[in-house]
Amino acid sequence: MSEETNSTEHRGKRPVINPQQQGQGTRPQPHHKSRKRELRDPKNNEGDPDIVKSPSDHKVYRYIQLKNGLNVLLISDLVIDECDSSEEEMSSGSDEEDGIPASKDSSNEDEDGKDGEEFGNESGEDGAAADYKEAGSDETVEDEGVAIASDDGISGDLLVNDPAVLEELVKKEDENKMVSTEKQSAAALAVCIGSFCDPDDLPGLAHFLEHMVFMGSKKYPDENGFDTFLKKHGGTDNASTDTERTVFQFDVQKKYFKEALDRWAQFFIEPLMIKDAIGREVEAVDSEFQIARPSDANRRELLLGRLAKPGHPMRKFFWGKCNADTLKYQPAKNKIDVYARLRNFWKRHYSAHYMNLVIQSRETLDTLQKWVTEIFSQIPNNNLPKPTFSHLSQPFDTPEFHKLYKVIPVKEIHSLSISWALPPQEMHYRVKPLHYLSWLIGHEGKGSVLSFLRKKFWALALYGGNGETGFEHNSSYSLFSISVTLTDEGVVHFYEVIHVIFQYLKMLQKQGPLQRVWEEIQKIEANEFCFQEQIDPIEYVENICENMHIYKKEDFLTGDQLLIEYNHDIIADALRYLTPQRANIFLLSPTHGSQCNLKEKWFGTQYCVSATDFSVIESTDQDAEYPDKILNTPEGCLWYKKDNKFAVPKAFICFHLVSPVIQRSAMNVVLFDIFVNILTHNLSEPAYEADVAQLGYKVLAREHGLVMRVKGFNHKLPLLFQLIIDQLADFSFTPSTFQMITEQLKKTYFNYLLKTDTLAKDIRLTILEHGRWSLTEKYEVLNTCLSMDSLVAFVKSFKSNLWVEGLVQGNFTKKKSKEFLNYVVRKLQFRPLIHPCPIQFRVTELPATHILCKVKSLHKGDANSDVTVYYQVLCCGCGPVS
């Protein structure tokens, strides 16, 4: 049986990479003043033809699977730098004559230490050609071959087919560089398990194992030997643990790559995991936890994870679960042998058949394959099934998730985050429905959500999408989030900001996915892929090895970048989940202050919870142009009007509590004014939260009754309405409140009398209306000795005999609307009036002659005058009409 197998099976539709999308008829060719150079792939450097890559990518790829089941992608980065241009020959001649190897001008080198782009700069190449070449002057290794000008001046092209000659040329090039600007060789290995596999009694074990495997191996027992080796030879390493994968990566100078691979592989073959090192490494893990604590992003993720269903691994993931408490103190308390559990976890989960390895170096593919086969075939395979979590569907379908969470952040920021949990979207990577949605929602041009919010001065930035981390993208679910950076004014109006976003999503759902837009995004992404710049090898191999367990072989390089297949139904299905009912909302702001009385266990994040419902009710009732009377009882009546125009989750409620006792005397009118003012005063504190939540209310004293109005988002509006009725039913006051309100009312009456327009209106209405008490009479009563007992007696009389008329308009059903009138009747326990709907106003019929009424202003220092002309027209059968 062979050591490995080369996989060449082709599946599915290949993405079309068309450079003409950039306006290029053919692939852009670099222009050089020197002779054209060509390099042909040797036979032992043949790549895998099924793997689709960018036209500007000179690297060669080969996918193999070792006999132990390890999946490997080999990347050969064999290139020869252009070094024969006349300019270089001239500039390097003097140095070579002195016996000093010529080095490239550092000014032409990339600031990250990559090869410079000197040929693009010196030869006057256009942008497309510069993008086509690798960052640096390395020529592309092509299947059809590239010519290499001979260094000894022999004219003509030399076709290099001998790998030994090719490697010698590369080696010679490396030796000619005084400063190491060559690309590092790099490797990354992804174990397809992560924190989802943590045992319930040892949270953080997967992350801890990521640390412990690097504490020496049987072949190389030095605890810090690998790190020392890398530092000595210009290398670096790192590792990370996610929900369903743990990734290790390193880079080093090419000369030491094979030895580094052997040292590194031993961590997965026979790691020592020294028992004595556990205490020290726990401190390192706890240090990472402390560093993560001040991050508002980490705090939000930790809170959000706790909203998953009980038993789902998301509840045991994140930084807060991996510290000295969970790995040292709690295990000791519960008599858990961490070392034994650690070794068992490694044996169970660090198996070759669900590992992905990617290596990149300036070697031939055959050389890399030989090294990998020799070194990594020893990784054990336990033949146990790979852990999977796809059966744990809809983890956030919980009441806790669909609420508003107000959080006090660490930073001085105002941030709004709306999230939805969708079924896993990883399998739809060729369609990329979430990328399509994020493109539209994150648009910043004219007509966009952000443009509207900026004009309102409510928002500074907006992002929509999926971060593709394990937290947001795994086999159990996918998250889609919209994050808005709010202004100070935006925090005040955050409900309106949420409403705007929901309205935009509703528009997208109504419109449906547009293939034209999808294809536009596809072209942009394809253009970027065609002319992509080369990235640091360690980042490159890390990204690919993470994706290998998701994408088909042909899509290893394109799966996370290109839109390949349009599917209307897949996009529409993702879009239908983005509704108000399914949303989770986090509002981060320092202004929450004392509202946040809850504290998260691990990070100590202060927060509070509020249920939300921004759905628009789908009513089966026929839309009416005017309000309908839906309830008529001896206690009162109720009118109803469904919102059939704006379709917003808002409502308006108005109730009029009519009582005949108010107009029986001037004293009763004054006592009624005092009563309404004290009621408003009593409501100010308990109704403050409603005011902050953009729910408005008013309590008004009218001639024949008390008027209550509430408006805003309908979900919490009934609570505000009930609060007002409760305060009315349980009305009470203190002597100091009574004194304060009466003094203020004296000033109000007096100021009305001083103003000519209000005085003129009061006199006119006193003449016209039967039983109306003038301001002057009310002011005189208020200055007499009114007692608290008289107010108590009046309020009792007022509440005992009423007739109630109400209007509910907006996002309520008829059934829900009736509850408002029923609540008033049930809570106030009043007797209905003998005559339902009493006549509230009677107007005096004036004699058919000109009447002039002159009144001297009570404000001697006011030189202004007010003239009011009043016309009364008699209507047959209905009396005077003003």
Side-chain angles (χ1 to χ4, degrees), residues 294-300 405-417 458-461 483-492 494 586-593 596 605-606:
S295 168
D296 286 315
N298 290 339
R299 288 169 171 244
R300 173 184 168 270
Y405 289 81
K406 294 182 179 180
V407 181
I408 299 178
V410 177
K411 298 179 180 178
E412 287 291 320
I413 58 168
H414 304 303
S415 176
L416 174 68
S417 180
W458 290 347
L460 300 171
S483 299
V484 186
T485 303
L486 300 172
T487 62
D488 292 346
E489 187 71 14
V491 174
V492 176
F494 81 92
F586 270 70
L587 180 64
L588 280 69
S589 176
T591 60
H592 297 324
C596 298
T605 308
Q606 290 182 271

Side-chain angles (χ1 to χ4, degrees), residues 126-171:
D126 59 15
D131 284 341
Y132 164 69
K133 295 195 330 183
E134 179 204 359
S137 55
D138 300 337
E139 275 292 82
T140 306
V141 180
E142 298 293 350
D143 292 337
E144 65 272 12
V146 189
I148 303 179
S150 60
D151 291 334
D152 56 6
I154 300 175
S155 61
D157 293 341
L158 173 64
L159 294 180
V160 180
N161 290 300
D162 187 349
V165 176
L166 180 59
E167 291 186 23
E168 184 62 30
L169 289 170
V170 174
K171 182 178 179 182

